[in-house]
Amino acid sequence: MKILIIEDEHSLSESIQDFLNSEGHVCELATNYKTAIEKISMYLYDVVIVDITLPDGSGLNVVSKLKKDDSKSGIIIISARNSVEQKIEGLEIGADDYLAKPFHLAELNARVKSLNRRVNFQGKNTVVYNEITIMPDEHRVFVFDKALELTKKEFDLLIFFTSNKNRVLTKSAISEHLWGDYMDYSDSHDFIYTHIKNLRKKLTKAGCKDYLKTIYSVGYKFSLE
């Protein structure tokens, strides 16, 4: 799962990032309003965690921007302001959840996973695509009820494709979504082809139809048609 953390308190943002990274997520940081707007305008995120009070703007405006752009991102507001009015305002403009500071990182992670299920998998713990069964929280995949062994990146690829089924995804979008800011240090997307080839091979070898379609000169698409 790819997550954007918008928080200007460095110790807190880094603690959240470290914890969520340890849970297998790819996290990016934005410590001010300007950077947050730039990132949500350029990249796709499964979940955006946003503080209301930022040094150069309001996190509520970030939420409004996401909703105006019809973003699929799940939105969790975190704030020291624990008034009913703040919660109502945040939820009314489109946030999915509100967590008051201080909070336990384990609770935040639980809410992130729950929100991802609601946004990408209709709230289900298990999702089925014909002969493919996926358990997102458990990182388990079955083809015809037989467990399929995938690497972490192969699993993340499958989740990204299935949650964006029938959408053409460019190599840049795929690599940035799965590797985040680390992609700034790479000038090649050739390894994306290798991961996709390995995922396709494992699926088809298990008896699965080839749902991963190559859109030449553009990218890839997961299609059940």
Side-chain angles (χ1 to χ4, degrees), residues 64-111:
S64 296
K65 166 73 172 167
L66 286 164
K67 305 313 291 186
K68 180 181 178 181
D69 293 345
D70 293 322
S71 170
K72 286 180 59 181
S73 302
I75 305 169
I76 300 177
I77 289 177
I78 55 173
S79 177
R81 304 177 183 179
N82 196 22
S83 68
V84 174
E85 292 78 11
Q86 285 291 327
K87 287 185 178 180
I88 291 175
E89 183 178 4
L91 295 171
E92 283 189 341
I93 64 175
D96 299 284
D97 203 351
Y98 187 110
L99 189 58
K101 299 177 184 178
F103 51 80
H104 292 288
L105 293 175
E107 179 182 1
L108 175 61
N109 183 50
R111 295 193 184 208

Side-chain angles (χ1 to χ4, degrees), residues 7-223:
E7 167 62 61
D8 66 313
E9 186 181 335
H10 292 280
S11 60
L12 177 58
S13 63
E14 290 174 359
S15 293
I16 295 173
Q17 182 182 37
D18 289 344
F19 186 87
L20 293 180
N21 280 344
S22 72
E23 291 292 311
H25 306 301
V26 173
C27 300
E28 294 183 7
L29 298 179
T31 58
N32 56 59
Y33 176 81
K34 180 175 181 293
T35 303
I37 293 297
E38 289 175 351
K39 282 185 172 291
I40 64 172
S41 298
M42 294 174 62
Y43 307 118
L44 300 174
Y45 298 94
D46 295 302
V47 174
V48 175
I49 300 170
V50 54
D51 187 12
I52 290 178
T53 305
L54 299 171
D56 54 343
S58 171
L60 294 177
N61 290 335
V62 175
V63 177
S64 296
K65 166 73 172 167
L66 286 164
K67 305 313 291 186
K68 180 181 178 181
D69 293 345
D70 293 322
S71 170
K72 286 180 59 181
S73 302
I75 305 169
I76 300 177
I77 289 177
I78 55 173
S79 177
R81 304 177 183 179
N82 196 22
S83 68
V84 174
E85 292 78 11
Q86 285 291 327
K87 287 185 178 180
I88 291 175
E89 183 178 4
L91 295 171
E92 283 189 341
I93 64 175
D96 299 284
D97 203 351
Y98 187 110
L99 189 58
K101 299 177 184 178
F103 51 80
H104 292 288
L105 293 175
E107 179 182 1
L108 175 61
N109 183 50
R111 295 193 184 208
V112 164
K113 290 195 292 186
S114 175
L115 181 53
N116 184 56
R117 287 196 300 271
R118 296 206 306 269
V119 171
N120 290 320
F121 304 106
Q122 297 79 49
K124 300 176 182 177
N125 291 315
T126 300
V127 289
V128 178
Y129 302 96
N130 293 346
E131 64 270 32
I132 304 172
T133 300
I134 305 174
M135 298 179 177
D137 287 352
E138 298 180 27
H139 284 221
R140 300 178 72 191
V141 179
F142 298 85
V143 176
F144 291 115
D145 297 324
K146 184 176 180 180
L148 186 65
E149 295 296 327
L150 299 178
T151 67
K152 180 183 182 304
K153 287 304 178 188
E154 290 165 357
F155 180 85
D156 291 344
L157 264 175
L158 182 60
I159 290 293
F160 189 41
F161 276 123
T162 54
S163 61
N164 290 279
K165 59 182 182 295
N166 298 320
R167 292 181 58 191
V168 177
L169 302 173
T170 66
K171 287 184 180 180
S172 294
I174 295 168
S175 59
E176 207 286 330
H177 193 87
L178 269 64
W179 279 267
D181 288 334
Y182 294 105
M183 284 309 301
D184 293 341
Y185 302 100
S186 175
D187 58 2
S188 171
H189 295 145
D190 290 344
F191 59 90
I192 290 295
Y193 170 75
T194 299
H195 283 292
I196 291 175
K197 181 181 70 173
N198 291 340
L199 174 61
R200 176 185 277 134
K201 182 178 180 180
K202 288 183 179 181
L203 287 169
T204 55
K205 186 176 180 180
C208 181
K209 292 181 180 179
D210 188 5
Y211 298 118
L212 290 173
K213 310 300 181 183
T214 300
I215 311 300
Y216 293 100
S217 301
V218 181
Y220 301 90
K221 178 173 69 172
F222 181 87
S223 176

